[in-house]
Structures are given as C-alpha cells and as structure tokens.
Amino acid sequence: MYLLLAAHADGTALQELTADGLPAPSNPQPRVVSAGDLAGVVRGLEKRRPRWIWHRTQDWYPSLLRAGVELERCYDLTLCGSILAHSEFTAHTGYARAAEKLTQDDELHQPPRALQPPPPPPEQGALFDAPARDQRPGQSLEELRAEYAAQQDALRQAGAVPATAPGTTGGSADAPDANRRQRLQLLLAAESAGAMIAAEMQHTGVPWREELHEQILADCLGPRPAPGQRPAKLEALTAELRQLLRSPALNPDSPQELMRALHRNGIEVKTTRQWELKESSHPAIEPLLAYKKLARLHAANGWVWLDAWVKNGRFQPEYVVGGVVSGRWASRGGGALQIPRQIRGAVHADPGHKLIVADASQLEPRVLVALAQDSKMAEAARDKDLYAGIAAQGFGGDRAKAKVALLGAIYGATTGESGRLMPQLARTYPRAVGFVEQAARDGEAGRTVTSRLGRSSPPPSDRWLRSQHSTTAEEQRRADSIARSRGRFTRNFVVQGSAADWAACWLAELRRRLRDLRSDGTAAAELVFFLHDEVMVHCPDGAVEDCMRAIEDSAAAAKELLFGRIPVEFPVSVAVVDSYDKAK
DNA sequence: TCTGATCGCGCG
DNA sequence: AAAGCGCGCGATCAGA
C-alpha cells in the first residue's frame, strides 16, 4: 500500500496510490485531514504498513515523531529524485533528460553566486525551504503523484537497457551478474530509510552527560571563564608563548601574527600547521602545540558548544542525508560528525543501559575487493585484519606499508611513500588497482562513474569544461592538473560511494531488526549515532546480546544485498561500553 | 561594520 | 611522518 501526503491549503491531502503511482482504483479520492488530526490518522493507517510517500522526510517526519508516531517505511521524493536524475542507470530515460534541462542553471555548475540572477521567490510561502538539490517536484498532491509515477517509470527502465552505453559509463558498476533495476531500487529504499533514521536519531539524540563534559573541560582548560575570556590554561600558555617568542602582544590565534613571531625567532616554517611545527625543536614549539590543541577544544567543543547543543542529557544534531555526493551523510550544527576523541567520555549510557559501538573494519578496501572481484585480494580480505593479509602477500609482512599503499590507491596518492608503493601493489593486485585506475581515467576524461547501487558522480565542473579548450602550454598544464584532480575524485567516488551504499543497507537492516526487538517488547534499543562506517546503539543491559546479533546479521545482509554471495568478509568490530571513549 | 574567503583542525 | 578522498566549523583576514 502506497500513501501520498501533500500539504494542502486547509490541511494535509492524503491519497492511496498503486505501486506505479496511479490513484488506487478501490479508493481513488484524496482525503483531506486537518493539522490537528494528522498524527492520529497517520498512526491509524500505519497499521496497514503502507509506504508513505512525501516530498521530503524532513518536512513530515520530525513532527510526527514529536507526536509519538513512528513509521516503518517511506519514499522520499526529493532524495530518490536526485539519485534518479543523475544515475547512469537511468541516464537514458526521459526523467533524467528532463532533470538535465532543469539543472542547466544549477548553481553547482555555474559561475560564482554573485554573477547569477537571484533565486525566484518560493512558490508556496514559507512552508517548504527551497530543495537542496536540483529536483523540484511541485508540491500539490497531483504534482507529487505525477513525480512519483515518473520516478517509478524511470526505475522500471533502469533494467531495460544494455549494461554499457559507450562513452557514458565507467567500468565501475558493470558486474555481469548485475541487475541494475534491483540495485537502484535497493538504493532508493535504503536512502529513504536513511532519511527516516536521520530524523529518528535527531529526535532521540546521543546520550550526553553534561557534568562529565564539564569535568573534561575543567581538567584541560581550568574553570569556566567569563564569556569572551580565555580559560586559565590558555591564558597561561599565551603568556609563556609571548615570552618565549619575544612578542609581548602576540595573539596565538592569528596565523599572521604567529608566523611573524616564529620567523623573528628563527623558526622558518611556511605554514603554522601542527605537522610542520613539529619539525622544529625550538622551545616555543611544545607550548604552542599545547595551545593549539586546547584552543581547538575550547572553540569547537567548549562551554559555549555545550550550552548550545546539549539539552536534557541529549545531543541532538541534524543529519543531512544525501548531503555528500558520494552518498555519505553530512550534518548541520554542532559538528556532529567530528566529535573529538578528547570529549567522547561525555557520551555515556543511561543507568541500566549500555552503548554498543560497532564499526565496519577496513570497509573501503573490502568494498574495493568486492567491486573489482580481485580474488587474490579477497584471500587477504578473509583475514580479520585485511592490511595484515595484504602485507603477508605482497609487502614482506610490513603492515604499515600495506596500509599506506592500499589507501594511496583508493585516494590517488602520487607522491611520497604511498605513491612509490603503487607499482608494487599493482603487480600483486592488478584487478583491484586496475579498477580504481579505470575510475580515475574516466574522471579525467570527463565521464561519470557510478557506485555499486547506482549513485553516479556529478558531471564535470565548469572549471573542468573550460579547461578543455586550453591553447597555451601554461593553460594545458593547468588543464592536466584539473583533470587529475577530477580523476582522484572519481577514483575515490566509486569506493567511497559503494561503501556508503553498504553502510546505508547496514543501517536500514539494523533499524528493521531493532524495531522487531522493540515490538517483541523485549528491548527498547535505539539507534543514536551513525558516522560513515560506525553505528551506536543505546539499549538496556538485558538487550545487549540481541542488539549485537542484530548488528552483525545486518552487516552480513548488507554484503549480500550489494554483492550477492561472494567470498569476501565485511567484519564489524563491536564494543559494549558505558561511555564512547571506551570503544576502540 | 558586515560578508565571503582562507586557514587550520576535528572526524571517517 | 604525511599524502591522496570526503566533510563542518570557528577565528582571522581582506575587501567593500
């Protein structure tokens, strides 16, 4: 059952659809529900386990959650539309072509903002913000229904073409056993589930003990200072630095002042980054590095942050699903995806509860093995420690070397040790290395590449396009540099994007299993955090075993959904802890 | 005095 | 020890 929701002048319009997006013959008339009745009506209809179709999950689901209504599944028209508009799997469809027309003015691929005409005023008042992406389905019930139907039509066609259209597609996504339509359908379901999970996690929040956080701050920085003042420890370090660098008014937060002071004292650095400062042995370096570390803690996660972001023992950041082109999530406010190790002790389970912190070990290299079907590297990936396996096969047991080489292949390293190790890696694993090399060449040539489930990289930037008609040698050199940069991006995209595909499936599978546990009445386990390849579940002590099994089963399910039955392991490491700093 | 760009650093 | 990818954010800086 498919139920479409649309904002209507006098409430919410609600219509039952067929799978194809036509009005359900048995019940073709829309129904209008007042704002006050919506949560109750939705709750009642949820018993029939519909898929809720809406413009954006963020517009509907948070308020339903506040009203105590949790839903099983949805279809997010904006997120799915964005995938379908760009995917190589649907590039031949009318849907993608229409989207391409719309995006010709897309600011992402256009000159600086200042040169563009101002955006048109919103059509429907302030009810919705402008969509983040270029797909702008209209917002009336009929427009949304038509949009859904068009998306389903495009999805159907994804399975109806030869796998490779010459000159348009990188080799990355073309396994012979692949069923593109199924994969894309899976991606759309996982993306929509992700949107629900993001809203639910924001609603729930990360359990955060303010007094533990304050204790960490006091230990590192001293007592809480007056607003705008430096904490005592930073003040003391500033005084020490001013003396050691003979600069009585130095502000160590100012890179320019700092650079001048360092140079005056014979410390010849080109930047003021920590790694470069560490090269020097001047007595001022140690307190300077200490200052930088503590100043960062104070500015990014100090008392001001605590006041702004932690309420009633929960940190409730906003997650932005689809915020990264590769399919990773982004976040807004509070730096949710950058919680520093220093303060993870403040993330603490409630009494009678545990935190289960699980992360996929060496996810990206394993994804590369599966994508490239490199059987030699798959042998190494049977090891719990993939890098150790690779080291044994091709690097004389030197794990550090193996790791640097493999990450270099995924990121496109050209210089340094990592770059030098590439030939050695390529000899041992021609398939895996060849796979990322092909993705790089596709990117350099302006082609798009595609993740396992069908998320495609953006088309070349305006900068890249302009660089193509260079004439002088200097321009050509610039063009090569721009092309190589795009090559590194597409090289990484196929791996990072497919890892994001895997993680989305892992998360969606885990959510389903945790819901099952909850409906059994055995466990009130909650997903509270997600970070690219890591999840955190907050659950009662008695539910720990069930949750751990759910996490591991979900990982296995995700592997099979993406790649079928292949001899590559995707192990997860699971830690049961009271506080986040005890994990890993 | 405001705004956008840049630097530097946190996370994967 | 750092380089190759992807992000968000705060302080400073440059320019209007």
Side-chain angles (χ1 to χ4, degrees):
Chain A
M1 182 188 186
Y2 300 82
L3 284 172
L4 174 64
L5 291 180
H8 198 273
D10 43 347
T12 296
L14 197 158
Q15 186 171 30
E16 186 178 340
L17 303 183
T18 66
D20 293 339
L22 299 171
S26 59
N27 192 9
Q29 287 310 311
R31 163 180 180 191
V32 176
V33 181
S34 73
D37 293 341
L38 182 64
V41 170
V42 168
R43 192 200 311 272
L45 288 164
E46 176 68 4
K47 296 194 177 76
R48 298 169 62 186
R49 302 187 62 194
R51 187 177 295 277
W52 296 94
I53 304 168
W54 46 43
H55 180 211
R56 295 193 310 178
T57 307
Q58 274 294 336
D59 296 332
W60 293 97
Y61 200 31
S63 60
L64 288 168
L65 286 169
R66 283 192 292 274
V69 180
E70 259 193 42
L71 304 177
E72 182 180 354
R73 52 191 180 170
C74 79
Y75 185 95
D76 187 305
L77 286 163
T78 302
L79 291 173
C80 294
S82 178
I83 290 171
L84 291 167
H86 296 113
S87 175
E88 286 297 335
F89 293 4
T90 46
H92 60 290
T93 65
Y95 187 83
R97 293 191 199 290
E100 196 178 2
K101 273 195 109 137
L102 277 176
T103 51
Q104 276 167 3
D105 306 322
D106 188 342
E107 67 185 38
L108 287 174
H109 311 120
Q110 287 297 311
R113 201 174 292 257
L115 302 178
Q116 292 175 48
E123 289 159 34
Q124 308 235 340
L127 194 52
F128 298 112
D129 297 326
R133 298 300 188 93
D134 39 310
Q135 277 307 87
R136 298 172 189 229
Q139 289 158 11
S140 74
L141 191 73
E142 179 48 27
E143 286 167 319
L144 292 175
R145 190 204 60 72
E147 172 66 22
Y148 177 71
Q151 291 188 16
Q152 290 307 299
D153 191 46
L155 178 61
R156 256 193 313 280
Q157 293 176 56
V161 281
T164 307
T168 60
T169 298
S172 44
D174 299 312
D177 63 331
N179 183 318
R180 294 180 153 208
R181 189 187 57 74
Q182 278 181 3
R183 273 147 61 189
L184 201 49
Q185 186 164 24
L186 175 60
L187 179 60
L188 300 185
E191 186 86 340
S192 294
M196 302 184 83
I197 294 164
E200 288 161 1
M201 288 200 318
Q202 180 178 8
H203 178 75
T204 304
V206 182
W208 202 286
R209 291 260 290 266
E210 297 174 56
E211 81 282 10
L212 294 178
H213 190 145
E214 280 171 343
Q215 189 59 54
I216 294 167
L217 294 178
D219 291 346
C220 296
L221 298 166
R224 178 172 191 158
Q229 297 293 303
R230 281 201 180 95
K233 294 255 169 92
L234 283 179
E235 203 53 70
L237 282 166
T238 301
E240 189 183 350
L241 285 168
R242 285 171 173 167
Q243 194 170 24
L244 285 166
L245 294 172
R246 298 174 295 174
S247 312
L250 173 70
N251 171 14
D253 291 327
S254 161
Q256 287 178 353
E257 283 184 40
L258 188 56
M259 186 79 89
R260 277 196 291 273
L262 292 168
H263 286 172
R264 246 201 321 278
N265 288 272
I267 306 169
E268 296 301 329
V269 286
K270 296 192 68 172
T271 72
T272 60
R273 295 185 192 129
Q274 331 177 356
W275 62 264
E276 197 177 343
L277 294 172
K278 278 178 193 151
E279 303 291 300
S280 168
S281 55
H282 191 279
I285 295 299
E286 193 197 314
L288 177 54
L289 291 173
Y291 178 91
K292 279 176 161 281
K293 188 87 185 157
L294 293 178
R296 165 84 195 180
L297 173 64
H298 179 236
N301 296 98
W303 292 275
V304 174
W305 181 91
L306 193 52
D307 287 349
W309 292 105
V310 179
K311 295 271 148 55
N312 304 316
R314 293 289 186 274
F315 170 39
Q316 301 181 271
E318 181 184 354
Y319 301 92
V320 186
V321 177
V324 183
V325 286
S326 67
R328 279 186 171 183
W329 293 11
S331 70
R332 202 156 32 216
L337 307 186
Q338 310 146 247
I339 300 170
R341 292 180 179 278
Q342 259 178 317
I343 58 161
R344 291 187 178 183
V347 180
H348 199 289
D350 290 347
H353 288 64
K354 292 287 186 206
L355 297 173
I356 306 179
V357 183
D359 79 281
S361 313
Q362 304 144 351
L363 178 59
E364 292 195 352
R366 290 173 194 279
V367 163
L368 174 56
V369 173
L371 286 172
Q373 308 199 18
D374 187 314
S375 49
K376 175 86 172 173
M377 200 181 274
E379 282 174 35
R382 228 154 291 155
D383 201 311
K384 234 327 197 205
D385 182 353
L386 173 136
Y387 298 127
I390 297 215
Q393 284 181 341
F395 291 86
D398 188 336
R399 185 184 185 276
K401 255 191 186 177
K403 179 175 177 177
V404 162
L406 191 48
L407 291 177
I410 292 173
Y411 292 148
T414 52
T415 61
E417 189 188 1
S418 184
R420 283 195 298 279
L421 289 170
M422 281 292 282
Q424 195 177 341
L425 191 76
R427 273 198 303 279
T428 317
Y429 308 107
R431 284 192 69 118
V433 173
F435 186 89
V436 285
E437 290 292 332
Q438 180 60 47
R441 282 193 293 273
D442 285 338
E444 288 170 4
R447 295 186 288 266
T448 56
V449 297
T450 300
S451 76
R452 177 67 186 172
L453 293 185
R455 193 188 307 261
S456 293
S457 65
S461 65
D462 215 48
R463 217 165 83 95
W464 185 94
L465 291 169
R466 278 198 308 270
S467 77
Q468 284 310 97
H469 9 80
S470 57
T471 50
T472 67
E474 171 61 16
E475 281 176 353
Q476 188 55 49
R477 206 185 52 74
R478 288 281 301 159
D480 289 347
S481 158
I482 291 167
R484 278 195 303 274
S485 168
R486 179 170 158 80
R488 286 193 301 275
F489 168 65
T490 52
R491 170 198 293 269
N492 186 252
F493 183 96
V494 292
V495 178
Q496 187 184 113
S498 301
D501 291 346
W502 181 91
C505 291
W506 184 35
L507 203 57
E509 289 283 334
L510 177 56
R511 173 179 187 261
R512 193 163 58 77
R513 285 166 171 79
L514 294 181
R515 283 173 58 86
D516 288 348
L517 287 177
R518 276 207 298 278
S519 68
D520 288 351
T522 51
E526 289 172 317
L527 266 164
V528 293
F529 191 59
F530 171 60
L531 180 58
H532 309 321
D533 61 357
E534 175 179 329
V535 297
M536 187 187 295
V537 173
H538 184 235
C539 74
D541 292 333
V544 165
E545 292 298 321
D546 285 341
C547 288
M548 288 176 71
R549 197 171 322 112
I551 287 167
E552 281 159 0
D553 291 351
S554 301
K559 181 194 93 172
E560 198 153 329
L561 283 168
L562 260 74
F563 299 111
R565 296 177 189 274
I566 53 163
V568 182
E569 300 304 314
F570 285 78
V572 285
S573 75
V574 185
V576 181
V577 294
D578 292 314
S579 61
Y580 192 15
D581 60 335
K582 301 293 192 300
K584 266 202 258 197

